Amino acid sequence: HHIRPNKLWLFGIRNVIHFGAQYAWFVGLTMLPLTEVFAIEFTQPLWVAVIATVFLGEKLNRYRVIALGLGFFGILTILRPGIEILQPASFIVLSAAIGFAVSVSLTKYHLREVSPLAVVFYMLAMQTPMALIPAISVWVGPSWADVPAIAIVGVTGLTSHYCLAKALSLADATVVIPLDFLRLPLIALMGFLIYGEALEIWVALGAVMVCFSNYLSVRRAR
């Protein structure tokens, strides 16, 4: 009963947009340095705030504005992208960020009537064949040695999607999505703990900004 079809067409629109955004993001990875890709991708919460305020009727109070602004500034402090970020390929990644924002907003709207489990189920049911059709021509089968890593990515990816959908069912998108800024300092920390990558002072400074901005937003929304 959790995954019974409810406005299946809305699931379809959401998944086509989400799939297109993912593809644009991967294309951007082949054309731009990682720093620039992440800097542009993390404009997503700003787009979500605009869409959620205009179309979902959420209130963008000063605490949420501060959280968005300070969080994004924290991301720029960590990444410190150069002026070369402004080039034609940047618009591909920007279209991915806007696509993700539209997808999140549609999910928030749809969660008024469906369960978070349905969102994850139909994402897999619809996007798997979408990906399979173009992938067949360049398919490379994984080896058994790849299976553990693929399994970990699958489990953690599905878990994060479910948690995001569940969070959106409980709180405004303008509160939930800025928490995504935390992903970058967490990636830096994992890189340090697992791969021995250096932690620069800019990462610590940006992480403090991101954490403080979300503390303000969540404390106010509580």
Side-chain angles (χ1 to χ4, degrees), residues 167-189:
L168 287 169
S169 72
L170 298 171
D172 284 353
T174 44
V175 173
V176 173
I177 297 305
L179 287 165
D180 191 46
F181 285 138
L182 288 169
R183 183 156 44 104
L184 200 57
L186 287 174
I187 287 171
L189 181 62

Side-chain angles (χ1 to χ4, degrees), residues 25 36-45 93 97 100 180 183:
W25 188 82
E36 274 118 43
V37 171
F38 276 107
I40 299 169
E41 182 198 353
F42 277 95
T43 62
Q44 179 195 340
V93 183
F100 286 137
D180 191 46
R183 183 156 44 104

Side-chain angles (χ1 to χ4, degrees), residues 46 64-74 181 213:
L46 307 179
R64 296 180 185 183
V65 172
I66 291 171
L68 285 165
L70 191 57
F72 186 59
F73 190 70
F181 285 138
S213 69

